[in-house]
């Protein structure tokens, strides 16, 4: 029998992920601040819950896909949260706190230190936790092709693997709780710097009078090729940057990266510059653009309006 899965957080990434769990045959219980996506998922066969506590009381596995560390802490440890009503793993299955043996998968990108804090608090109530942030953007979520970076106990990873396989293609157990988060931060360095480099390169090419689509085709056939170039080519060609992953969210990730780098004693000079470029975009009111929209700032600095 398929495990019943709870899903909290139905944003750009969470909504298609929850849909893929339904497609895989899992009963799914959903909760989110925005009721539109909840209604959509309920229409597709999911069950509605009014709180994280209510979700936790009726599922075998609970997934969160939330914006940042404070939201995860609140959902896991706050009032009406996962932990509330759990009693050393002996919670009931009637909405009165977490079920016994609940496996909690946080797939958000948050501070690995917060993941460890939450995991320790939940463990005292018999709830097992993995941190399992993802990469692949909205397209990867829709296509169930995400890269999933997992930290936690190996036995818990093995138990969660069939669920991860309904959501992604590259699934890696990286070590203890928090290891997934540190890997995701490394991923976000590469993506942010890559998108900024693409923005600089395409701005140079545009000012030289080159055709953007042809430039991207040429770059994509050589060493400069990347997933970023491949996935964001439609944005660059159209000159429109509707969010697959918002600048606001990547700026949040850059903050987590710099906090971790200082704690670990790792200088990140390129990342620091990119963080300030993303900060400038937010100041200009462009935080809602896709993160590939960093090119719009670079074009502006070069004295060129956006071509759209």
């Amino acid at each position: 029998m398929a495990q019943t899965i709870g899903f909290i957080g139905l944003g750009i990434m969470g909504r298609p992920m929850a849909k893929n769990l339904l497609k895989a045959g899992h009963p799914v219980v959903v909760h989110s601040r925005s009721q539109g996506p909840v209604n959509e998922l309920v229409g597709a066969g999911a069950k509605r819950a009014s709180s994280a506590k209510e979700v936790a009381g009726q599922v075998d596995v609970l997934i969160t896909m939330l914006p940042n560390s404070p939201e995860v802490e609140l959902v896991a440890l706050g009032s009406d949260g996962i932990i509330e009503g759990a009693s050393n793993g002996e919670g009931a299955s009637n909405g009165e706190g977490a079920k016994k043996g609940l496996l909690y998968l946080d797939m958000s990108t948050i501070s690995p230190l917060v993941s460890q804090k939450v995991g320790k608090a939940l463990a005292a109530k018999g709830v097992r936790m993995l941190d399992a942030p993802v990469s692949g953007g909205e397209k990867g979520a829709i296509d169930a092709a995400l890269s999933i970076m997992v930290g936690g106990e190996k036995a818990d990873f093995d138990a969660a693997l069939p669920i991860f396989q309904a959501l992604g293609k590259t699934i890696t157990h990286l070590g203890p709780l928090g290891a997934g988060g540190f890997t995701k931060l490394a991923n976000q360095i590469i993506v942010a710097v890559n998108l900024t480099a693409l923005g600089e390169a395409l701005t140079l090419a545009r000012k030289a009078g080159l055709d953007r689509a042809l430039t991207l085709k040429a770059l994509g056939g050589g060493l400069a090729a990347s997933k970023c170039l491949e996935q964001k080519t439609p944005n660059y060609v159209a000159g429109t940057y509707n969010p697959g992953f918002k600048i606001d969210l990547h700026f949040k990730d850059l903050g987590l990266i710099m906090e971790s780098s200082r704690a670990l004693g790792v200088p990140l000079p390129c990342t620091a510059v990119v963080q300030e470029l993303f900060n400038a975009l937010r100041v200009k009111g462009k935080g809602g653009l896709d993160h590939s929209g960093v090119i719009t700032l670079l074009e502006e600095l070069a004295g060129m309006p956006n071509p759209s």
Side-chain angles (χ1 to χ4, degrees), residues 8-254:
I8 299 174
L10 300 173
I12 289 174
M13 299 290 289
R15 177 165 43 182
M17 291 168 69
K19 285 182 178 179
N20 284 331
L21 292 171
L22 285 169
K23 289 176 186 176
H26 292 282
V28 177
V29 181
V30 295
H31 172 64
S32 193
R33 287 182 300 182
S34 300
Q35 289 307 296
V38 172
N39 294 337
E40 182 181 340
L41 266 294
V42 170
K47 181 179 177 182
R48 184 192 313 266
S50 62
S51 68
K53 176 182 174 181
E54 186 180 332
V55 175
Q58 53 189 310
V59 300
D60 304 298
V61 179
L62 194 157
I63 297 172
T64 50
M65 192 64 171
L66 299 167
N68 205 348
S69 304
E71 290 85 353
V72 171
E73 281 200 78
L74 182 64
V75 163
L77 307 181
S79 176
D80 276 337
I82 296 166
I83 198 170
E84 196 169 272
S87 178
N88 295 316
E90 298 175 358
S93 58
N94 58 2
E96 297 300 322
K99 288 176 68 175
K100 183 176 182 179
L102 177 70
L103 179 57
Y104 170 41
L105 316 177
D106 179 35
M107 303 187 76
S108 321
T109 299
I110 69 169
S111 164
L113 300 178
V114 172
S115 297
Q116 292 166 349
K117 172 187 173 183
V118 169
K120 183 177 180 181
L122 291 176
K125 298 295 184 179
V127 177
R128 301 168 292 154
M129 178 178 174
L130 298 172
D131 70 311
V134 305
S135 182
E138 183 182 17
K139 187 176 188 303
I142 292 169
D143 296 342
L146 295 167
S147 175
I148 305 174
M149 310 161 211
V150 189
E153 294 293 330
K154 181 62 163 57
D156 296 336
F157 170 80
D158 291 340
L161 186 57
I163 295 166
F164 289 143
Q165 288 170 335
L167 301 172
K169 288 187 176 178
T170 303
I171 303 154
T172 311
H173 181 240
L174 293 145
L177 189 65
F182 280 119
T183 306
K184 176 60 186 290
L185 296 186
N187 178 88
Q188 293 301 78
I189 293 172
I190 295 167
V191 173
V193 174
N194 194 343
L195 290 174
T196 303
L198 273 167
E200 290 188 351
L202 293 173
T203 299
L204 175 69
R206 182 182 165 206
K207 198 148 192 182
L210 300 179
D211 179 88
R212 177 155 291 178
L214 291 175
T215 302
L216 285 160
K217 180 181 178 182
L219 295 174
L223 196 58
S226 68
K227 280 285 187 182
C228 288
L229 187 154
E230 177 186 331
Q231 286 197 14
K232 303 304 181 179
T233 283
N235 292 1
Y236 294 129
V237 172
T240 56
Y241 301 94
N242 298 322
F245 189 75
K246 292 181 181 179
I247 285 166
D248 279 338
L249 287 175
H250 209 138
F251 181 73
K252 177 267 295 185
D253 293 348
L254 290 164

